[in-house]
Short mmCIF file of all heavy atoms in Angstrom, two decimals:
data_model
loop_
_atom_site.label_atom_id
_atom_site.label_comp_id
_atom_site.label_asym_id
_atom_site.label_seq_id
_atom_site.Cartn_x
_atom_site.Cartn_y
_atom_site.Cartn_z
N MET H 1 112.46 -138.02 19.62
CA MET H 1 112.03 -137.98 21.03
C MET H 1 111.71 -136.54 21.44
O MET H 1 112.45 -135.61 21.13
CB MET H 1 113.18 -138.48 21.93
CG MET H 1 113.51 -139.95 21.73
SD MET H 1 112.20 -141.00 22.32
CE MET H 1 112.96 -141.59 23.82
N THR H 2 110.56 -136.38 22.17
CA THR H 2 110.22 -135.07 22.70
C THR H 2 110.11 -135.16 24.20
O THR H 2 109.41 -136.04 24.72
CB THR H 2 108.86 -134.58 22.14
OG1 THR H 2 108.92 -134.67 20.71
CG2 THR H 2 108.58 -133.15 22.56
N VAL H 4 108.82 -133.78 27.62
CA VAL H 4 107.80 -132.86 28.15
C VAL H 4 107.67 -133.08 29.66
O VAL H 4 108.18 -134.05 30.21
CB VAL H 4 106.43 -133.10 27.49
CG1 VAL H 4 106.50 -132.86 25.99
CG2 VAL H 4 105.94 -134.51 27.79
N PRO H 16 105.19 -140.04 16.69
CA PRO H 16 104.74 -138.64 16.78
C PRO H 16 104.27 -138.31 18.19
O PRO H 16 103.45 -139.05 18.74
CB PRO H 16 103.59 -138.58 15.78
CG PRO H 16 103.01 -139.98 15.80
CD PRO H 16 104.16 -140.91 16.08
N THR H 18 102.12 -136.88 20.16
CA THR H 18 100.79 -136.24 20.20
C THR H 18 100.27 -136.22 21.63
O THR H 18 100.79 -136.91 22.52
CB THR H 18 99.78 -137.05 19.36
OG1 THR H 18 99.72 -138.36 19.94
CG2 THR H 18 100.23 -137.14 17.91
N GLY H 27 99.39 -143.92 31.53
CA GLY H 27 98.86 -145.20 32.00
C GLY H 27 97.37 -145.18 32.20
O GLY H 27 96.79 -146.10 32.74
N ALA H 28 96.73 -144.08 31.76
CA ALA H 28 95.26 -144.06 31.83
C ALA H 28 94.75 -145.17 30.90
O ALA H 28 95.09 -145.17 29.72
CB ALA H 28 94.74 -142.71 31.36
N GLY H 31 90.90 -143.33 27.33
CA GLY H 31 90.75 -141.89 27.59
C GLY H 31 89.51 -141.54 28.39
O GLY H 31 89.28 -140.38 28.70
N GLY H 33 86.86 -140.37 30.86
CA GLY H 33 86.92 -139.66 32.13
C GLY H 33 88.18 -138.85 32.31
O GLY H 33 88.50 -138.42 33.41
N VAL H 38 97.55 -128.46 27.95
CA VAL H 38 98.95 -128.25 27.57
C VAL H 38 99.28 -126.78 27.81
O VAL H 38 98.58 -125.90 27.30
CB VAL H 38 99.18 -128.63 26.09
CG1 VAL H 38 100.62 -128.31 25.69
CG2 VAL H 38 98.87 -130.11 25.87
N ASP H 39 100.28 -126.56 28.65
CA ASP H 39 100.64 -125.19 29.06
C ASP H 39 99.41 -124.38 29.48
O ASP H 39 99.21 -123.23 29.07
CB ASP H 39 101.38 -124.47 27.93
CG ASP H 39 102.81 -125.00 27.77
OD1 ASP H 39 103.24 -125.79 28.66
OD2 ASP H 39 103.45 -124.68 26.78
N VAL H 42 93.26 -126.06 27.59
CA VAL H 42 92.62 -127.35 27.41
C VAL H 42 92.75 -127.81 25.95
O VAL H 42 92.57 -127.01 25.03
CB VAL H 42 91.12 -127.27 27.77
CG1 VAL H 42 90.45 -128.64 27.61
CG2 VAL H 42 90.95 -126.75 29.19
N VAL H 43 93.08 -129.07 25.76
CA VAL H 43 93.05 -129.67 24.42
C VAL H 43 91.87 -130.64 24.39
O VAL H 43 91.91 -131.68 25.05
CB VAL H 43 94.35 -130.42 24.10
CG1 VAL H 43 94.26 -131.05 22.71
CG2 VAL H 43 95.56 -129.49 24.21
N PRO H 44 90.83 -130.28 23.66
CA PRO H 44 89.62 -131.13 23.67
C PRO H 44 89.95 -132.54 23.16
O PRO H 44 90.80 -132.69 22.26
CB PRO H 44 88.67 -130.42 22.71
CG PRO H 44 89.22 -129.04 22.55
CD PRO H 44 90.69 -129.12 22.78
N ARG H 45 89.27 -133.51 23.71
CA ARG H 45 89.42 -134.91 23.33
C ARG H 45 89.54 -135.09 21.81
O ARG H 45 90.42 -135.82 21.32
CB ARG H 45 88.19 -135.63 23.87
CG ARG H 45 88.02 -137.07 23.52
CD ARG H 45 86.74 -137.58 24.19
NE ARG H 45 86.76 -137.20 25.61
CZ ARG H 45 87.43 -137.88 26.52
NH1 ARG H 45 88.12 -138.94 26.17
NH2 ARG H 45 87.42 -137.49 27.78
N GLY H 46 88.71 -134.38 21.08
CA GLY H 46 88.67 -134.57 19.63
C GLY H 46 89.99 -134.21 18.93
O GLY H 46 90.25 -134.64 17.81
N THR H 51 97.04 -133.19 17.77
CA THR H 51 97.79 -132.11 18.41
C THR H 51 99.16 -132.59 18.85
O THR H 51 99.28 -133.55 19.61
CB THR H 51 97.02 -131.56 19.62
OG1 THR H 51 95.71 -131.19 19.20
CG2 THR H 51 97.74 -130.37 20.23
N GLN H 52 100.19 -131.94 18.31
CA GLN H 52 101.57 -132.26 18.69
C GLN H 52 101.91 -131.55 20.01
O GLN H 52 101.42 -130.45 20.26
CB GLN H 52 102.54 -131.75 17.61
CG GLN H 52 102.38 -132.43 16.26
CD GLN H 52 102.83 -133.88 16.30
OE1 GLN H 52 103.83 -134.21 16.94
NE2 GLN H 52 102.07 -134.76 15.66
N ARG H 54 105.13 -129.99 22.07
CA ARG H 54 106.48 -129.57 21.73
C ARG H 54 107.41 -129.72 22.93
O ARG H 54 106.97 -129.72 24.08
CB ARG H 54 106.47 -128.12 21.25
CG ARG H 54 105.76 -127.93 19.91
CD ARG H 54 105.97 -126.52 19.38
NE ARG H 54 105.63 -125.51 20.40
CZ ARG H 54 104.38 -125.19 20.73
NH1 ARG H 54 103.36 -125.82 20.14
NH2 ARG H 54 104.14 -124.28 21.65
N GLN H 58 104.26 -128.27 29.17
CA GLN H 58 103.73 -128.83 30.40
C GLN H 58 102.39 -129.50 30.06
O GLN H 58 101.45 -128.81 29.63
CB GLN H 58 103.51 -127.69 31.38
CG GLN H 58 103.40 -128.08 32.81
CD GLN H 58 103.60 -126.85 33.69
OE1 GLN H 58 103.00 -125.80 33.43
NE2 GLN H 58 104.44 -126.96 34.69
N LEU H 62 94.25 -135.13 33.56
CA LEU H 62 93.48 -135.19 34.81
C LEU H 62 92.27 -136.09 34.70
O LEU H 62 91.77 -136.35 33.61
CB LEU H 62 93.01 -133.78 35.18
CG LEU H 62 94.06 -132.67 35.26
CD1 LEU H 62 93.44 -131.41 35.82
CD2 LEU H 62 95.24 -133.10 36.13
N GLY H 68 87.03 -132.50 47.85
CA GLY H 68 86.35 -131.22 47.87
C GLY H 68 85.03 -131.31 48.58
O GLY H 68 84.47 -132.40 48.76
#
Side-chain angles (χ1 to χ4, degrees):
Chain H
M1 293 291 255
T2 307
V4 299
T18 60
V38 176
D39 287 351
V42 181
V43 179
R45 175 179 310 279
T51 305
Q52 296 291 320
R54 293 189 309 284
Q58 200 163 47
L62 307 187

